[in-house]
């Protein structure tokens, strides 16, 4: 699979280990670039793909997610200094959603941290961070290895996900959210974690690239009776907005990529203050974040919005009292499941209370924009939060 | 056990200055010195039987007047055998050029009228520039941010003084501030001896050649310092450099500072993100409200504090702080009186025959090599007073440039090569000197690092160069003497305004602590 780096220009976009299957399934031939890979935006029908996430079983190819293997005797101390959560509380077999910040307490990226074994972790994230991870390793006995291409990963999400896995021979009934387990599957097996990006019952499957196609085939054979479908990123995007999840470079700019000084965001500004462990000791950005916390929590606040009407508000500006700019929408969708027009937005913190917030939507209607000023309500995230997401064992179908 | 408000790590000149100032302000201060004597670069170990102990530094030209007066160093025994040391640009042909008075107010030797006039003008200009820059040494570097407690009024006054140089001079300062010293000298002067000496002085203790960008500002910085109370002058303490250390120790003791020798600090104790004291190499823990490190900044952050208590970006910056030493130190015990073709031994002897010679010597270290013909400044303390060498014999102390801090040839081979080539240059300029040597010691940058704790062997505990000056010294985020860890302060030469036997950094740090931290 590994391409000679000197010949990268021959293939500006790489194919994932599932490409032989996804390319056949992609009847719309809709592709997009994601982290250096060509990935499906939609396969057959976006609405049906979204429906599979919420009503059946969906398969998403997440190979382009960047993966780092971090191991060594100091790895827990290293990760505690790198990330904001207490990694000491994450037992072997556990998974943490986490973020890491620079000295100024601005977010570098978010990702999931997998405690694979004693002194052995994997970080899975959106952007590449090897220089930072290596710099952070100074003074620690840890090794950091990029293993993005060494792991093939699929996401299986939807109410039938556990049933499909069981039918494929993987008994995941006892697996709790944010836990993982290894299963026999050809050479090397497969690791299955109860994680996902849909806010629904779901699992992520991690295996060697050589086992990618057999794994795909096994899932689709087992899931045929349950309406299993490959999904593209468009359908996933609707589901993740309903779940209130943020995406790097869509809902915030990683500080290492931000050109404009005011574009970076702290965890407090992104509604992630809950994950900061203030008591665990030093971590990158701690001093800046303590100061920010004590001063009120930063200029911005990430909010979930319920918007009147049914016109999606992507990229719209928020106004206070219809006059003063108060923020902007980073993600928006008509939520098919909740039947609400929802959005994620950066709102200046001073407008968090008091209401009187509006969104100015430019609705494109046959080549002509109609300007709408629509009232919005700040609402709790996630917008959609089904009990089946947490139930263990999950329901059978 | 007595408890202390402040622990100062390192009993060098800056550590002692900070300690004395803090104790004088009512804080109870303990100085912990790893070695067997305090004084830092102002002291040295036993050298040769019957000879004095040569220190790393051998001329005073950066002594902070606040330290001199505030510690009462004169009262505590600091005197000078030379307050305005002349310099001799030693020539192979014996036609030496002697610079008398501050920065060669009088030139003695064959120099053309045009050069004399040009030198008078350039000298006045350099001293004027140094004069307006000098007060910046005594301020806490400003931070480039709003509402961070900058001393606006004071800084504005200093800035105004710079502007008051007048339109033409101000414009010239702006033009010349970041220029290289070779261009300035070649623009104005013809005399190779004079240019060689000034180019040598500008790059002394740096990792720059005369043609390197920003080398002039180092000459201005040097001239902005004081010897024995006179700006730009060179001074020799009576009793050798150790006399400065002795006076400082007495002064510190007189106000009540406690000094413990042989106490190597292993780590700063940090609890709840605050420095609570120190742990010594033997395991002993000493608590204190404040910890002031006059040790090297890299050592302080990477070893005494440790990356685990710091942010990754900060650790990155301190790791990459430049700290390459390129000056070697030569000590010779001489059985007779050396003859530098008649040059006055009661002056500073500089062997740097031209700018090209200095640049060539610098070129070698860029590639980790020993230069063919090193350049050097020589002081014979025994020519000024008794006590440094047995009667009729001499102690020669020389700073020899440029010496690689990480030689390709290996430490021992490079040291031997550096010694051989230095002695060859000396022999050429003072025929017969080689036969007089009864004992020789060559300290390479890595030897200086081992003996004095100066990382990379750099005298300033971090290169003094324009990108590591003022608010960039030792690095942004710690340039106002406060470390990121509460209760931990820096006070060493690694901070503004840098090294030299000075005490300025320690005094500045103490002033800020007194202002910001309640007793």
């Amino acid at each position: 699979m590994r391409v000679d780096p000197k010949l990268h220009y021959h293939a500006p976009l790489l194919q994932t280990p599932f490409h032989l299957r996804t390319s056949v399934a992609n009847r719309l031939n809709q592709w997009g670039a994601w982290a250096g890979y060509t990935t499906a935006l939609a396969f057959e029908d976006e609405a049906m793909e979204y429906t599979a996430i919420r009503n059946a079983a969906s398969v998403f190819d997440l190979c382009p997610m960047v993966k780092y293997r971090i191991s060594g005797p100091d790895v827990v101390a290293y990760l505690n200094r790198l990330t904001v959560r207490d990694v000491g509380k994450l037992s072997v077999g556990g998974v943490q959603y986490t973020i890491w910040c620079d000295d100024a307490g601005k977010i570098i990226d978010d990702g999931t941290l997998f405690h694979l074994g004693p002194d052995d972790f994997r970080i899975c994230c959106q952007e590449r961070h090897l220089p930072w991870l290596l710099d952070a390793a100074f003074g620690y006995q840890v090794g950091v290895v990029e293993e993005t291409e060494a792991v093939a990963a699929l996401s299986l999400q939807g109410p039938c996900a556990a049933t499909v896995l069981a039918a494929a021979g993987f008994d995941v009934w006892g697996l709790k959210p944010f836990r993982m387990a290894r299963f026999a599957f050809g050479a090397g097996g497969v690791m299955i974690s109860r994680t996902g990006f849909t806010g629904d019952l779901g699992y992520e499957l991690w295996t060697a690239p050589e086992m990618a196609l057999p794994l795909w085939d096994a899932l689709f054979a087992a899931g045929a009776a349950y309406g299993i479908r490959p999904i593209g990123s468009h359908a996933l995007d609707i589901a993740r907005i309903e779940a209130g999840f943020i995406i790097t470079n869509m809902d915030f700019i990683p500080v290492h990529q931000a050109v404009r000084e005011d574009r970076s965001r702290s965890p407090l500004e992104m509604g992630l203050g809950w994950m900061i462990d203030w008591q665990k000791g030093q971590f990158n950005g701690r001093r800046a974040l303590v100061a920010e916390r004590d001063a009120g929590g930063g200029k911005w606040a990430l909010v979930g919005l319920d918007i009147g009407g049914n016109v999606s508000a992507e990229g719209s500006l928020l106004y206070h009292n219809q006059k003063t700019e108060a923020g902007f929408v980073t993600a928006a969708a008509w939520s098919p499941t909740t039947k609400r027009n929802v959005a994620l937005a950066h709102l200046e913190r001073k407008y968090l209370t008091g209401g009187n917030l509006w969104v100015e939507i430019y609705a494109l209607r046959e080549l002509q924009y109609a300007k709408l000023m629509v009232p919005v309500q700040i609402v709790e995230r996630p917008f959609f939060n089904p009990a089946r997401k947490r139930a263990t064992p999950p329901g059978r179908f | 056990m007595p408890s202390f408000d402040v622990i100062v790590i390192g009993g060098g000149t800056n550590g002692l200055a900070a300690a004395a100032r803090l104790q004088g302000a009512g804080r109870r201060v303990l100085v912990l010195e790893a070695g067997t004597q305090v004084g830092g670069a102002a002291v040295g170990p036993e050298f040769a039987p019957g000879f004095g102990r040569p220190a790393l530094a051998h001329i005073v030209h950066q002594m902070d007047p606040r330290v001199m007066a505030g510690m009462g160093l004169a009262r505590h025994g600091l005197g000078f055998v030379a307050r305005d040391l002349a310099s001799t640009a030693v020539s192979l042909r014996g036609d030496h050029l002697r610079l008398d008075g501050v920065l060669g107010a009088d030139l003695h030797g064959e120099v053309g009228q045009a050069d004399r006039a040009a030198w008078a003008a350039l000298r006045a200009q350099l001293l004027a520039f140094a004069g307006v820059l000098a007060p910046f040494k005594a301020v806490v570097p400003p931070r480039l941010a709003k509402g961070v407690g900058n001393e606006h009024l004071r800084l504005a006054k200093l800035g105004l003084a710079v502007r008051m140089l007048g339109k033409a001079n101000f414009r010239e300062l702006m033009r010349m501030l970041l220029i290289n010293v070779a261009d300035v000298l070649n623009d104005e002067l013809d005399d190779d001896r004079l240019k060689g000496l000034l180019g040598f002085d500008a790059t002394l203790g740096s990792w720059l050649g005369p043609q390197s960008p920003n080398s002039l500002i180092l000459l201005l910085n040097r001239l902005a310092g004081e010897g024995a109370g006179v700006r730009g002058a060179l001074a020799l303490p009576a009793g050798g450099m150790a006399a400065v250390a002795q006076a400082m120790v007495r002064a510190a003791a007189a106000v009540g500072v406690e000094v413990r020798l042989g106490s190597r600090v292993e780590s700063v104790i940090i609890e709840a993100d605050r420095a609570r004291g120190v742990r010594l190499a033997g395991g002993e823990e000493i608590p204190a409200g404040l910890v002031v490190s006059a040790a090297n900044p890299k050592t302080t952050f990477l070893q005494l504090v440790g990356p685990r208590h710091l942010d990754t970006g900060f650790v990155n910056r301190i790791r990459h702080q430049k700290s390459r030493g390129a000056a070697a130190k030569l000590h010779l015990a001489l059985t007779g009186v050396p003859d530098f073709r008649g040059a006055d031994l009661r002056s500073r002897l500089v062997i740097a025959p031209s700018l090209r010679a200095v640049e060539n010597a610098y070129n070698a270290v860029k590639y980790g090599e020993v230069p063919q013909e090193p350049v050097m400044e020589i002081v014979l303390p025994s020519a000024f007073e008794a006590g440094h060498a047995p009667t009729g014999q001499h102690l020669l102390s020389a700073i020899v440039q440029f010496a690689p801090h990480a030689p390709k040839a290996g430490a021992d081979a490079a040291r031997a090569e550096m010694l051989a080539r230095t002695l060859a240059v000396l022999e050429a300029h003072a025929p017969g000197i080689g036969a007089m040597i009864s004992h020789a010691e060559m300290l390479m940058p890595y030897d200086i690092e081992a003996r004095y704790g100066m990382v990379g062997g750099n005298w300033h505990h971090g290169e003094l160069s324009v990108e590591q000056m003022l608010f960039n010294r030792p690095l942004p985020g710690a340039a106002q003497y406060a470390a990121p860890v509460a209760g931990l302060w820096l006070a060493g030469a690694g901070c503004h305004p840098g090294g030299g036997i000075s005490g300025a950094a320690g005094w500045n740090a103490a002033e800020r602590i007194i202002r910001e931290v309640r007793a």
Side-chain angles (χ1 to χ4, degrees):
Chain A
M1 294 305 289
R2 188 166 280 276
V3 180
D4 180 348
K6 288 196 293 293
L7 300 177
H8 66 94
Y9 57 91
H10 286 310
L13 287 180
L14 302 174
Q15 297 174 351
T16 80
F18 297 106
H19 193 77
L20 280 178
R21 295 294 179 272
T22 53
S23 54
V24 171
N26 196 341
R27 294 176 59 189
L28 294 174
N29 205 25
Q30 285 198 10
W31 300 95
W34 173 23
Y37 288 84
T38 184
T39 54
L41 302 173
F43 283 88
E44 202 167 352
D45 182 308
E46 229 175 271
M48 289 304 290
E49 289 165 29
Y50 166 80
T51 305
I53 298 172
R54 293 289 180 232
N55 298 286
S58 67
V59 174
F60 182 74
D61 175 3
L62 47 82
C63 294
M65 291 296 286
V66 178
K67 302 161 207 85
Y68 297 101
R69 191 66 165 265
I70 305 174
S71 46
D74 287 343
V75 68
V76 172
Y78 167 85
L79 289 169
N80 261 337
R81 199 280 208 106
L82 180 77
T83 66
V84 303
R85 296 185 76 171
D86 186 353
V87 180
K89 288 180 182 161
L90 185 65
S91 59
V92 171
V95 185
Q96 245 181 12
Y97 171 57
T98 191
I99 47 169
W100 49 104
C101 298
D102 73 352
D103 292 22
K106 302 301 184 188
I107 301 174
I108 293 173
D109 206 349
D110 65 350
T112 36
L113 179 65
F114 295 80
H115 197 167
L116 301 174
D119 297 338
D120 190 17
F121 287 80
R122 174 184 294 147
I123 275 186
C124 190
C125 54
Q126 186 74 259
E127 302 292 327
R128 306 221 176 227
H129 304 290
L130 193 58
W132 180 258
L133 297 179
L134 290 174
D135 285 343
F138 181 83
Y140 294 85
Q141 277 193 57
V142 289
V144 181
V145 178
E146 146 112 49
E147 58 173 15
T148 303
E149 291 174 51
V151 180
L154 280 183
S155 178
L156 176 69
Q157 305 277 312
C160 298
T163 308
V164 171
L165 283 174
F170 306 120
D171 178 358
V172 293
W173 297 113
L175 201 57
K176 292 179 176 166
F178 290 102
R179 298 297 301 175
M180 61 182 153
R182 298 204 65 86
F183 295 88
F185 187 72
V190 59
M191 197 264 283
I192 299 178
S193 56
R194 188 166 169 187
T195 50
F197 205 56
T198 60
D200 214 308
L201 173 64
Y203 302 84
E204 288 169 330
L205 293 76
W206 315 80
T207 191
E210 307 79 66
M211 297 309 296
L213 298 181
L215 182 64
W216 179 283
D217 294 341
L219 289 182
F220 278 84
Y226 301 95
I228 195 168
R229 250 179 202 281
I231 61 162
S233 42
H234 285 163
L236 178 67
D237 198 42
I238 299 171
R240 72 95 185 177
I241 292 171
E242 288 180 330
F245 292 151
I246 56 172
I247 298 183
T248 309
N249 262 324
M250 292 177 74
D251 297 287
F252 70 92
I253 304 293
V255 62
H256 287 165
Q257 294 175 28
V259 175
R260 295 163 181 82
E261 200 180 12
D262 64 349
R263 292 303 193 271
S264 57
R265 292 288 182 270
S266 79
L268 301 170
E269 291 175 316
M270 287 305 292
L272 298 171
W274 60 270
M275 63 166 69
I276 300 175
D277 190 318
W278 302 100
Q279 306 307 321
K280 71 171 180 173
Q282 166 66 3
F283 59 87
N284 283 333
R286 182 181 186 279
R287 295 176 187 116
L289 288 170
V290 166
E292 186 175 311
R293 176 196 68 190
D294 294 348
K299 180 184 177 187
W300 296 94
L302 186 83
V303 291
L305 297 179
D306 190 332
I307 300 173
N310 62 2
V311 182
S312 181
E314 286 102 336
S316 298
L317 294 180
L318 296 178
Y319 287 86
H320 177 255
N321 198 25
Q322 302 192 41
K323 281 206 287 278
T324 315
E325 257 184 52
F328 52 93
V329 170
T330 57
W334 168 258
S335 159
T337 302
T338 64
K339 304 287 184 279
R340 286 197 292 175
N341 190 19
V342 298
L344 300 176
H346 293 229
L347 180 69
E348 284 191 47
R349 189 172 291 279
K350 60 186 172 191
Y351 296 113
L352 259 185
T353 52
N356 199 6
L357 292 175
W358 301 74
V359 60
E360 186 183 51
I361 304 174
Y362 283 73
L364 187 59
R365 287 172 179 161
E366 294 176 329
L367 294 184
Q368 208 170 317
Y369 279 106
K371 194 167 94 172
L372 315 171
M373 189 62 90
V374 183
V376 301
Q377 299 293 328
I378 297 174
V379 295
E380 286 294 309
R381 287 178 296 143
F383 303 104
F384 176 61
N385 193 13
R388 63 177 180 250
K389 179 173 88 176
R390 293 170 296 276
T392 308
R396 293 166 190 260
F397 288 87
Chain B
M1 182 181 153
S3 67
F4 297 94
D5 299 319
V6 182
I7 287 173
V8 174
I9 304 172
T13 46
N14 280 305
L16 290 173
R21 180 71 190 92
L22 288 167
Q23 183 87 31
R27 318 285 172 111
R28 288 158 302 166
V29 183
L30 171 66
V31 175
L32 297 173
E33 165 59 42
T36 54
Q37 52 183 346
V38 291
V43 295
E46 205 74 61
F47 164 58
F51 285 81
R53 301 172 161 212
L56 184 61
H58 63 191
I59 294 172
V60 173
H61 56 78
Q62 295 293 319
M63 199 70 214
D64 189 287
R66 296 168 303 169
V67 176
M68 274 289 265
M71 292 182 76
L73 295 185
R75 192 155 37 86
H76 290 287
L78 180 59
F80 292 90
V81 287
R83 290 177 171 271
D84 195 358
L85 184 64
S87 297
T88 305
V90 180
S91 164
L92 262 181
R93 295 178 301 279
D95 55 337
H96 309 309
L97 177 66
R98 185 180 155 115
L99 287 78
D100 271 339
V102 172
L103 188 62
D106 299 310
L107 293 183
H108 297 281
E110 271 188 47
V111 185
Q113 276 312 309
D115 249 11
R116 283 184 186 275
W119 169 238
L122 178 61
R123 175 183 174 276
Q125 192 176 42
L126 292 175
L127 287 176
F129 292 167
V132 294
L133 296 179
F136 284 94
K137 284 179 181 276
V139 300
V140 174
R143 275 184 63 191
L144 301 184
K146 285 182 193 164
V148 288
N150 287 335
E151 301 173 88
H152 291 293
L153 191 64
R154 204 164 155 209
L155 290 165
K157 277 184 186 166
L158 298 186
L160 185 65
V162 177
R163 192 63 191 84
M164 294 294 280
L165 279 168
K167 190 174 176 183
N169 263 331
F170 181 69
R171 194 173 56 207
E172 278 299 277
L173 176 60
M174 291 299 107
R175 180 181 74 83
M176 291 166 69
L177 196 60
L178 300 181
I179 209 170
N180 72 74
V181 68
D183 278 357
V184 173
L185 298 175
N186 283 329
D187 277 352
E188 309 297 335
L189 303 171
D190 277 329
D191 194 289
D192 273 339
R193 297 164 300 177
L194 185 53
K195 288 193 287 186
L197 182 139
L198 292 165
F200 175 86
D201 278 357
T203 54
L204 194 57
S206 76
W207 181 272
L208 296 175
Q211 292 180 25
S212 304
N214 315 325
S215 48
L216 181 75
I217 199 169
L218 298 188
L219 183 61
L220 296 178
N221 177 69
R222 179 180 164 94
L223 296 173
E226 296 186 4
V230 181
R231 183 170 303 142
L234 310 177
L236 285 185
M241 197 55 66
V244 179
Q246 284 158 12
M248 290 186 93
V249 173
R250 282 193 211 109
V255 288
V257 171
E258 195 169 317
V259 177
R260 273 177 61 178
L261 300 174
S263 303
R264 179 171 296 279
V265 174
E266 192 177 72
S267 61
V268 175
I269 300 168
I270 296 168
E271 286 163 10
D273 204 25
R274 187 174 184 88
R276 306 281 179 186
V278 299
R279 187 174 295 109
L280 299 183
E284 184 189 348
E285 295 191 352
I286 309 175
L290 293 181
V291 176
V292 176
S293 175
N296 185 282
K298 275 188 205 269
T299 309
T300 301
F301 288 121
L302 297 180
Q303 289 169 30
L304 304 186
V305 174
R308 284 161 201 237
H309 294 287
L310 299 167
D311 289 331
T312 292
F314 185 88
V315 170
N316 249 348
R317 292 202 295 280
I318 191 70
R319 282 170 62 204
H320 296 120
Q321 182 218 24
K322 292 189 286 184
S323 191
R324 298 161 297 184
K329 188 71 199 294
L330 174 71
H331 302 135
L332 294 179
L334 301 175
T335 55
V337 186
D339 178 13
F340 289 82
R341 294 200 170 86
D344 184 1
L345 297 184
R346 289 171 61 86
S347 68
R348 175 178 72 125
L349 305 172
V350 178
I351 303 179
S354 65
L355 280 171
R356 174 49 51 196
V358 181
E359 191 73 29
N360 283 347
Y362 169 62
N363 284 341
V365 299
K366 289 192 283 190
Y367 308 104
E369 292 165 4
V370 169
Q372 284 295 334
E373 294 184 62
V375 290
M376 65 195 81
E377 96 175 354
I378 301 160
V379 174
L380 284 87
S382 50
F384 293 83
E385 59 180 338
H388 294 285
T391 313
Q393 303 192 34
H394 276 287
L395 173 65
L396 181 149
S397 166
I399 298 168
V400 190
Q401 293 208 137
F402 290 79
H405 73 296
K408 280 195 287 203
D412 292 337
R415 188 187 303 106
E417 199 181 354
M418 190 78 193
L419 180 60
R421 292 188 179 169
T422 304
L423 293 182
V425 171
L426 277 172
E427 185 68 28
H429 288 81
I433 193 172
M436 296 178 191
I437 299 171
S438 64
H439 200 81
E441 176 181 58
M442 174 63 87
L443 297 176
M444 295 292 274
Y446 35 91
D447 301 320
I448 292 170
E449 172 165 8
R451 185 179 287 185
Y452 291 98
M454 297 163 163
V455 173
N458 184 279
W459 294 354
H460 296 282
H461 286 282
E463 287 168 48
L464 194 64
S465 52
V466 76
E467 70 279 15
Q468 292 191 164
M469 279 182 166
L470 213 63
F471 38 72
N472 286 327
R473 184 164 191 84
L475 71 165
Q480 287 75 32
Y481 307 100
V485 178
L488 177 65
W489 296 77
L490 299 180
C495 305
H496 173 76
I501 300 303
S502 165
W507 201 268
N508 283 353
E511 290 285 358
R512 176 136 202 260
I513 292 168
I514 292 164
R515 205 165 60 230
E516 306 240 328
V517 186
R518 276 192 209 183

